[in-house]
PDB file of all heavy atoms in Angstrom:
ATOM      1  N   ARG S  23     117.302 111.274 110.272  1.00 96.00           N
ATOM      2  CA  ARG S  23     117.034 111.325 108.818  1.00 96.00           C
ATOM      3  C   ARG S  23     117.021 109.958 108.167  1.00 96.00           C
ATOM      4  O   ARG S  23     116.221 109.633 107.348  1.00 96.00           O
ATOM      5  CB  ARG S  23     118.125 112.206 108.121  1.00 96.00           C
ATOM      6  CG  ARG S  23     117.955 113.666 108.391  1.00 96.00           C
ATOM      7  CD  ARG S  23     118.985 114.473 107.646  1.00 96.00           C
ATOM      8  NE  ARG S  23     118.974 115.848 108.011  1.00 96.00           N
ATOM      9  CZ  ARG S  23     119.703 116.431 108.903  1.00 96.00           C
ATOM     10  NH1 ARG S  23     120.536 115.723 109.599  1.00 96.00           N
ATOM     11  NH2 ARG S  23     119.604 117.689 109.195  1.00 96.00           N
ATOM     12  N   MET S  26     113.832 108.188 108.788  1.00 96.00           N
ATOM     13  CA  MET S  26     112.814 108.711 107.956  1.00 96.00           C
ATOM     14  C   MET S  26     112.995 108.135 106.505  1.00 96.00           C
ATOM     15  O   MET S  26     111.999 107.843 105.835  1.00 96.00           O
ATOM     16  CB  MET S  26     112.744 110.170 107.929  1.00 96.00           C
ATOM     17  CG  MET S  26     112.185 110.666 109.236  1.00 96.00           C
ATOM     18  SD  MET S  26     111.866 112.446 109.336  1.00 96.00           S
ATOM     19  CE  MET S  26     110.476 112.646 108.260  1.00 96.00           C
ATOM     20  N   ALA S  37     114.018 112.279 101.816  1.00 94.00           N
ATOM     21  CA  ALA S  37     113.841 112.051 103.280  1.00 94.00           C
ATOM     22  C   ALA S  37     114.362 113.207 104.072  1.00 94.00           C
ATOM     23  O   ALA S  37     113.752 113.624 105.028  1.00 94.00           O
ATOM     24  CB  ALA S  37     114.579 110.716 103.677  1.00 94.00           C
ATOM     25  N   ARG S  38     115.455 113.837 103.623  1.00 95.00           N
ATOM     26  CA  ARG S  38     116.045 114.989 104.335  1.00 95.00           C
ATOM     27  C   ARG S  38     115.104 116.131 104.197  1.00 95.00           C
ATOM     28  O   ARG S  38     114.865 116.839 105.211  1.00 95.00           O
ATOM     29  CB  ARG S  38     117.368 115.379 103.707  1.00 95.00           C
ATOM     30  CG  ARG S  38     118.121 116.453 104.372  1.00 95.00           C
ATOM     31  CD  ARG S  38     119.373 116.916 103.783  1.00 95.00           C
ATOM     32  NE  ARG S  38     120.276 115.786 103.463  1.00 95.00           N
ATOM     33  CZ  ARG S  38     120.691 115.436 102.242  1.00 95.00           C
ATOM     34  NH1 ARG S  38     120.216 116.127 101.122  1.00 95.00           N
ATOM     35  NH2 ARG S  38     121.447 114.463 102.019  1.00 95.00           N
ATOM     36  N   ASN S  39     114.424 116.329 103.097  1.00 97.00           N
ATOM     37  CA  ASN S  39     113.454 117.407 103.002  1.00 97.00           C
ATOM     38  C   ASN S  39     112.278 117.148 103.926  1.00 97.00           C
ATOM     39  O   ASN S  39     111.845 118.108 104.564  1.00 97.00           O
ATOM     40  CB  ASN S  39     112.961 117.475 101.493  1.00 97.00           C
ATOM     41  CG  ASN S  39     113.986 117.991 100.560  1.00 97.00           C
ATOM     42  OD1 ASN S  39     114.944 118.609 100.929  1.00 97.00           O
ATOM     43  ND2 ASN S  39     113.801 117.725  99.254  1.00 97.00           N
ATOM     44  N   ASP S  40     111.814 115.943 104.010  1.00 97.00           N
ATOM     45  CA  ASP S  40     110.658 115.615 104.978  1.00 97.00           C
ATOM     46  C   ASP S  40     111.141 115.900 106.377  1.00 97.00           C
ATOM     47  O   ASP S  40     110.408 116.481 107.172  1.00 97.00           O
ATOM     48  CB  ASP S  40     110.288 114.113 104.775  1.00 97.00           C
ATOM     49  CG  ASP S  40     109.540 113.860 103.501  1.00 97.00           C
ATOM     50  OD1 ASP S  40     109.209 114.769 102.793  1.00 97.00           O
ATOM     51  OD2 ASP S  40     109.351 112.604 103.271  1.00 97.00           O
ATOM     52  N   PHE S  41     112.330 115.416 106.706  1.00 97.00           N
ATOM     53  CA  PHE S  41     112.880 115.647 108.072  1.00 97.00           C
ATOM     54  C   PHE S  41     113.003 117.125 108.411  1.00 97.00           C
ATOM     55  O   PHE S  41     112.552 117.529 109.445  1.00 97.00           O
ATOM     56  CB  PHE S  41     114.303 115.014 108.088  1.00 97.00           C
ATOM     57  CG  PHE S  41     114.942 115.088 109.447  1.00 97.00           C
ATOM     58  CD1 PHE S  41     114.747 114.147 110.432  1.00 97.00           C
ATOM     59  CD2 PHE S  41     115.837 116.130 109.784  1.00 97.00           C
ATOM     60  CE1 PHE S  41     115.346 114.220 111.640  1.00 97.00           C
ATOM     61  CE2 PHE S  41     116.476 116.152 110.951  1.00 97.00           C
ATOM     62  CZ  PHE S  41     116.228 115.275 111.918  1.00 97.00           C
ATOM     63  N   ASN S  42     113.523 117.944 107.521  1.00 97.00           N
ATOM     64  CA  ASN S  42     113.677 119.372 107.791  1.00 97.00           C
ATOM     65  C   ASN S  42     112.257 120.032 107.872  1.00 97.00           C
ATOM     66  O   ASN S  42     112.100 120.957 108.678  1.00 97.00           O
ATOM     67  CB  ASN S  42     114.478 119.973 106.639  1.00 97.00           C
ATOM     68  CG  ASN S  42     115.903 119.574 106.660  1.00 97.00           C
ATOM     69  OD1 ASN S  42     116.421 119.171 107.735  1.00 97.00           O
ATOM     70  ND2 ASN S  42     116.623 119.721 105.532  1.00 97.00           N
ATOM     71  N   GLU S  43     111.307 119.625 107.008  1.00 97.00           N
ATOM     72  CA  GLU S  43     110.032 120.159 107.122  1.00 97.00           C
ATOM     73  C   GLU S  43     109.305 119.837 108.403  1.00 97.00           C
ATOM     74  O   GLU S  43     108.700 120.677 109.101  1.00 97.00           O
ATOM     75  CB  GLU S  43     109.096 119.612 105.915  1.00 97.00           C
ATOM     76  CG  GLU S  43     107.663 120.045 105.997  1.00 97.00           C
ATOM     77  CD  GLU S  43     107.401 121.553 105.964  1.00 97.00           C
ATOM     78  OE1 GLU S  43     108.226 122.214 105.328  1.00 97.00           O
ATOM     79  OE2 GLU S  43     106.393 122.030 106.500  1.00 97.00           O
ATOM     80  N   LEU S  44     109.527 118.614 108.865  1.00 97.00           N
ATOM     81  CA  LEU S  44     108.906 118.225 110.160  1.00 97.00           C
ATOM     82  C   LEU S  44     109.568 118.935 111.350  1.00 97.00           C
ATOM     83  O   LEU S  44     108.898 119.450 112.238  1.00 97.00           O
ATOM     84  CB  LEU S  44     109.120 116.673 110.385  1.00 97.00           C
ATOM     85  CG  LEU S  44     108.405 116.061 111.575  1.00 97.00           C
ATOM     86  CD1 LEU S  44     106.906 116.401 111.612  1.00 97.00           C
ATOM     87  CD2 LEU S  44     108.567 114.556 111.543  1.00 97.00           C
ATOM     88  N   ARG S  45     110.899 119.092 111.308  1.00 97.00           N
ATOM     89  CA  ARG S  45     111.621 119.890 112.302  1.00 97.00           C
ATOM     90  C   ARG S  45     111.069 121.352 112.368  1.00 97.00           C
ATOM     91  O   ARG S  45     110.856 121.875 113.437  1.00 97.00           O
ATOM     92  CB  ARG S  45     113.132 119.921 112.084  1.00 97.00           C
ATOM     93  CG  ARG S  45     113.751 118.642 112.603  1.00 97.00           C
ATOM     94  CD  ARG S  45     115.303 118.765 112.554  1.00 97.00           C
ATOM     95  NE  ARG S  45     115.920 119.747 113.463  1.00 97.00           N
ATOM     96  CZ  ARG S  45     116.154 119.524 114.707  1.00 97.00           C
ATOM     97  NH1 ARG S  45     115.932 118.304 115.221  1.00 97.00           N
ATOM     98  NH2 ARG S  45     116.754 120.488 115.460  1.00 97.00           N
ATOM     99  N   ASN S  58     119.502 116.983 115.299  1.00 95.00           N
ATOM    100  CA  ASN S  58     119.311 115.932 114.290  1.00 95.00           C
ATOM    101  C   ASN S  58     118.347 114.812 114.691  1.00 95.00           C
ATOM    102  O   ASN S  58     118.508 113.709 114.227  1.00 95.00           O
ATOM    103  CB  ASN S  58     120.726 115.373 113.924  1.00 95.00           C
ATOM    104  CG  ASN S  58     121.566 116.338 113.293  1.00 95.00           C
ATOM    105  OD1 ASN S  58     121.215 117.106 112.450  1.00 95.00           O
ATOM    106  ND2 ASN S  58     122.785 116.448 113.763  1.00 95.00           N
ATOM    107  N   LEU S  59     117.394 115.178 115.518  1.00 97.00           N
ATOM    108  CA  LEU S  59     116.307 114.206 115.874  1.00 97.00           C
ATOM    109  C   LEU S  59     114.955 114.871 115.869  1.00 97.00           C
ATOM    110  O   LEU S  59     114.813 116.032 116.011  1.00 97.00           O
ATOM    111  CB  LEU S  59     116.596 113.677 117.339  1.00 97.00           C
ATOM    112  CG  LEU S  59     117.835 112.897 117.595  1.00 97.00           C
ATOM    113  CD1 LEU S  59     118.032 112.641 119.055  1.00 97.00           C
ATOM    114  CD2 LEU S  59     117.861 111.607 116.764  1.00 97.00           C
TER     115      LEU S  59
END
Side-chain angles (χ1 to χ4, degrees):
R23 287 181 185 96
M26 288 187 71
R38 185 181 312 115
N39 290 340
D40 289 350
F41 181 86
N42 291 338
E43 175 61 29
L44 187 53
R45 279 187 67 85
N58 299 313
L59 296 172

